[in-house]
Amino acid sequence: MATDAAGLNLGHAVVLLGAAVIAVPLFRRLQLGSVLGYLAAGLLIGPFGLAFISEPETILHVAELGVVMFLFIIGLEMRPAKLWNLRREIFGLGAAQVLVCAALLSGLGVLAGLPLVAAVIGASGFVLSSTAVIMKMLDERGQTNSPAGQRAVSILLLEDLAVVPLLALVAVLASLSGQAVEAARPVWLSILMAVGTLTALLAAGRWLLNPFFGLLARTGAREIMTAAALLVVLGSAMFLDWGGLSMAMGAFMAGVLLSESTFRHQLEADIEPFRGILLGLFFISVGMSLNLAVVAESWALIAGGVLAFMVIKAAGIYAVARLFRASPRESIERAALFAQGGEFAFVLYGAALAGGVIDARISAIMTAIVILSMALTPVVIILLDRLTPRLKLSMDGIEEANGLQGQILLIGFGRFSQVVSQPLLARGFEIALIENDVEMIQAAANFGFKVYYGDGARLDVLRASGAETAEAIMIGVDKPEVADHIVELVKSEFPHAKLFVRAYDRGHSMRLTQAGVDFQIRETFESAVAMGERLLLDLGVEPEDAAETIVEVRRSDEARFEAQLVGGIEAGRGMMRGNMVTPQPTPFSKPRREAQAINPEAAGLIAEKAASRETEPTA
């Protein structure tokens, strides 16, 4: 394998995947997280390690698509109304954090002996945190959709918006120093193009995307839908990048625009495999980019810079968080999470170097400081988790699951499981109930239920809750991904128990069926069918006819579900009734002779059609 050849080849792909497959499970086993595993793998195989790959920039350009797709999926979860509700966090909290940290870090650079211009540029690159690192850490900690996680996303969005003025600042500083950046746009044109491209993307999302996917869905070609999803993500990212904004911002906005689309879940499923592997490649390429020769030459300066920049930035973030009334714990966690520099620094330092604003040595040192800070973030978070005591919930009157015995184990005791428990209790079955929501347990006690505290997604809790001896296990948790994890544990460790699971939607039902559960049901299906039957009765349909219709609806739903198990969620579309009139095909010219039957069966059908036309009411 010619490892020094420019570009990528099959050998490079094998090395990249092999390094990831070995390093990530090892680091996760050591509880160091996957991000640190990817970075270590990149450092090992990169030009400053074993030198299997000599040009990390080539991989970095491809792997940046992982960050783009990650932001697209985050956007799918962020409906426009939800995004509007976060406007205070985006333009208030986010702007305050950027400005305060930029001022503090610029002052630190000046005190360290840097020229004012170089200090401002260095601070500006470091102040914008790594979207990839932060979103990956939030995802692994399950905090993306928490209130604190949403505030973190808001800050990242503002930092992406800050790309335009910072690049414009580099152009202005370059012109003041007498060296204009090549092909640099005027400031007014940069702002105008950014606003124009963002407006155009919003308009396209509002009026074009849904009809576009609807047209493609009617073709029934699954691979075309996947290609269209990638086209929308990458096209939006490239369009906003051309307009001067970041690719991540473009992908995020595309996700927001499609968040209320009927194709949302299909898009998420199509993008997910690409997102995961490309995001991993991004972290590997960052690890490969760390120039160990520069670090060895200026190790004291770089080590001091990493420590000083992270500490000062963390202090600024903590102060802003407390100013905006965040709790001390959330403020500390945000400071630890955002204390690093980000991938945008590579672009900013490159532009500043090209414009003569900073020299090559300062650019290399600042780049090394940013990369090392990104690598240290997972370590800081791990240390924080280990040193910070967990928040203790009030457990008054609540017992933890331990040594429970019951014929049936119910995991999760929300509204669904409460109803399920009634016929079981009525027939005298012994049931064990576990729930990890303290408030729910306390509320259930007011109605005469003894519910034990326990997280059903943990194997030790399942054992303590009597899963080894239970005849049946019913999973009624709210989150589909948690239910899937519990199903996997039960099928692996307690295969004797019959498994009954509440499904969130049709796609979740398909996953549960494929996982081999004994019974699953969509949480709203039976109530919706009952409502439909009552509507028929109150509209004058005879009870026998109404019951027959409901049986037919159930039969049709089962047939469509079987088709979807084989052909995917888009299969069986023709089996579902819709309320749009289907146009009847008509010939371009009327035939000269009437239709003639070729057998008795055909004659009967023709006569039946003619009779139905005679009895049709005229408008």
Side-chain angles (χ1 to χ4, degrees):
M1 178 183 70
T3 56
D4 292 331
L8 294 175
N9 57 40
L10 184 60
H12 293 144
V14 171
V15 170
L16 288 167
L17 295 174
V21 167
I22 294 171
V24 173
L26 176 62
F27 274 70
R28 288 183 68 91
R29 180 90 175 179
L30 297 173
Q31 297 184 341
L32 296 175
S34 58
V35 174
L36 206 55
Y38 283 123
L39 292 170
L43 185 61
L44 180 66
I45 66 175
F48 307 104
L50 299 177
F52 286 116
I53 297 174
S54 60
E55 295 183 357
E57 297 82 7
T58 305
I59 298 170
L60 183 61
H61 291 318
V62 176
E64 281 176 345
L65 299 179
V67 183
V68 167
M69 292 178 184
F70 203 173
L71 266 292
F72 175 74
I73 291 178
I74 297 300
L76 285 176
E77 301 295 332
M78 192 81 67
R79 286 175 164 77
K82 188 175 181 181
L83 189 62
W84 176 251
N85 290 335
L86 290 173
R87 63 190 183 279
R88 179 177 175 271
E89 284 78 8
I90 295 173
F91 296 103
L93 175 60
Q97 179 171 307
V98 168
L99 292 174
V100 168
C101 292
L104 290 174
L105 293 176
S106 297
L108 178 64
V110 171
L111 290 176
L114 290 175
L116 177 60
V117 171
V120 171
I121 294 299
S124 299
F126 198 88
V127 79
L128 302 185
S129 305
S130 172
T131 299
V133 171
I134 291 173
M135 294 308 304
K136 184 68 173 176
M137 298 297 293
L138 288 174
D139 189 44
E140 289 187 349
R141 290 157 63 90
Q143 295 179 344
T144 304
N145 293 316
S146 67
Q150 294 296 284
R151 284 187 281 273
V153 171
S154 301
I155 296 169
L156 290 172
L157 287 177
L158 189 282
E159 291 182 352
D160 280 333
L161 287 172
V163 168
V164 174
L166 286 177
L167 284 175
L169 176 64
V170 170
V172 170
L173 292 174
S175 64
L176 291 176
S177 66
Q179 300 186 44
V181 178
E182 183 181 353
R185 300 166 181 160
V187 176
W188 67 268
L189 181 59
S190 296
I191 296 174
L192 185 62
M193 288 191 67
V195 173
T197 50
L198 187 57
T199 303
L201 181 63
L202 291 173
R206 175 69 178 81
W207 289 293
L208 295 180
L209 287 185
N210 255 328
F212 172 64
F213 280 106
L215 179 66
L216 293 178
R218 284 192 286 273
T219 67
R222 176 74 181 272
E223 68 280 6
I224 294 300
M225 289 292 288
T226 302
L230 290 171
L231 174 63
V232 168
V233 177
L234 301 182
S236 302
M238 186 180 72
F239 185 55
L240 282 203
D241 183 58
W242 172 80
L245 291 166
S246 69
M247 291 193 297
M249 172 63 73
F252 177 82
M253 292 308 302
V256 171
L257 294 171
L258 286 167
S259 62
E260 294 182 328
S261 167
T262 54
F263 306 99
R264 171 179 164 237
H265 296 294
Q266 182 67 47
L267 291 171
E268 188 171 356
D270 288 338
I271 293 296
E272 181 67 27
F274 299 98
R275 187 270 295 182
I277 189 65
L278 286 174
L279 192 62
L281 286 179
F282 172 81
F283 291 120
I284 290 177
S285 60
V286 170
M288 287 191 293
S289 301
L290 181 59
N291 192 328
L292 295 181
V294 172
V295 173
E297 180 184 344
S298 307
W299 66 269
L301 180 60
I302 291 174
V306 170
L307 180 62
F309 268 58
M310 292 186 73
V311 169
I312 295 299
K313 185 180 178 184
I317 293 169
Y318 181 84
V320 171
R322 296 294 289 143
L323 184 65
F324 279 76
R325 300 181 179 177
S327 67
R329 185 183 183 90
E330 182 183 340
S331 301
I332 293 173
E333 289 181 349
R334 188 185 303 162
L337 200 59
F338 279 81
Q340 86 291 128
E343 50 273 7
F344 176 69
F346 309 145
V347 177
L348 189 67
Y349 297 158
L353 180 63
V357 178
I358 59 176
D359 59 37
R361 181 173 180 274
I362 292 177
S363 176
I365 290 174
M366 290 303 304
T367 299
I369 288 174
V370 169
I371 293 174
L372 286 172
S373 71
M374 292 170 68
L376 285 174
T377 299
V379 178
V380 171
I381 294 297
I382 291 168
L383 291 175
L384 181 66
D385 286 341
R386 293 181 179 177
L387 297 175
T388 306
R390 293 179 179 270
L391 287 175
K392 296 202 178 207
L393 299 170
S394 174
M395 301 290 284
D396 292 340
I398 296 175
E399 297 180 38
E400 292 193 12
N402 187 22
L404 303 185
Q405 296 291 327
Q407 292 173 272
I408 304 159
L409 171 61
L410 265 62
I411 303 173
F413 200 62
R415 293 169 296 175
F416 188 90
S417 297
Q418 291 166 23
V419 176
V420 170
S421 70
Q422 295 305 289
L424 300 173
L425 293 170
R427 297 296 299 179
F429 283 97
E430 185 179 354
I431 61 176
L433 308 173
I434 64 171
E435 169 65 62
N436 63 356
D437 186 331
V438 172
E439 293 182 359
M440 179 67 73
I441 295 174
Q442 292 169 338
N446 296 330
F447 292 90
F449 287 101
K450 180 63 176 179
V451 183
Y452 292 87
Y453 179 82
D455 183 359
R458 289 175 49 182
L459 182 58
D460 58 333
V461 172
L462 289 176
R463 294 189 191 281
S465 303
E468 289 179 312
T469 58
E471 297 178 26
I473 297 175
M474 203 289 287
I475 303 172
V477 298
D478 290 330
K479 295 182 179 179
E481 61 274 14
V482 176
D484 292 341
H485 179 64
I486 299 174
V487 166
E488 184 180 356
L489 283 178
V490 172
K491 294 293 290 183
S492 173
E493 302 295 330
F494 315 109
H496 65 279
K498 291 186 177 297
L499 197 49
F500 300 78
V501 190
R502 161 198 178 186
Y504 174 72
D505 56 15
R506 199 171 192 86
H508 191 207
S509 290
M510 292 168 61
R511 294 202 304 274
L512 293 172
T513 301
Q514 290 162 348
V517 303
D518 294 280
F519 181 77
Q520 54 75 28
I521 188 167
R522 303 194 296 280
E523 57 189 12
T524 58
F525 182 74
E526 288 298 328
S527 57
V529 168
M531 180 66 78
E533 185 173 13
R534 184 54 188 259
L535 277 168
L536 291 176
L537 294 173
D538 282 9
L539 290 172
V541 177
E542 293 296 324
E544 296 80 7
D545 294 336
E548 184 178 341
T549 301
I550 294 300
V551 169
E552 176 57 32
V553 168
R554 290 181 182 278
R555 188 181 298 119
S556 176
D557 183 80
E558 290 172 3
R560 188 162 69 97
F561 188 76
E562 293 294 330
Q564 289 173 322
L565 285 174
V566 176
I569 197 72
E570 293 293 329
R573 291 169 63 90
M575 301 179 190
M576 193 170 188
R577 293 178 177 84
N579 64 344
M580 293 189 296
V581 177
T582 304
Q584 295 296 323
T586 56
F588 288 108
S589 58
K590 187 175 180 179
R592 297 177 181 176
R593 293 189 302 170
E594 296 291 333
Q596 300 293 322
I598 60 173
N599 53 44
E601 290 80 10
L605 286 173
I606 293 173
E608 185 179 328
K609 286 283 186 183
S612 65
R613 283 196 295 269
E614 291 174 2
T615 57
E616 284 179 356
T618 56

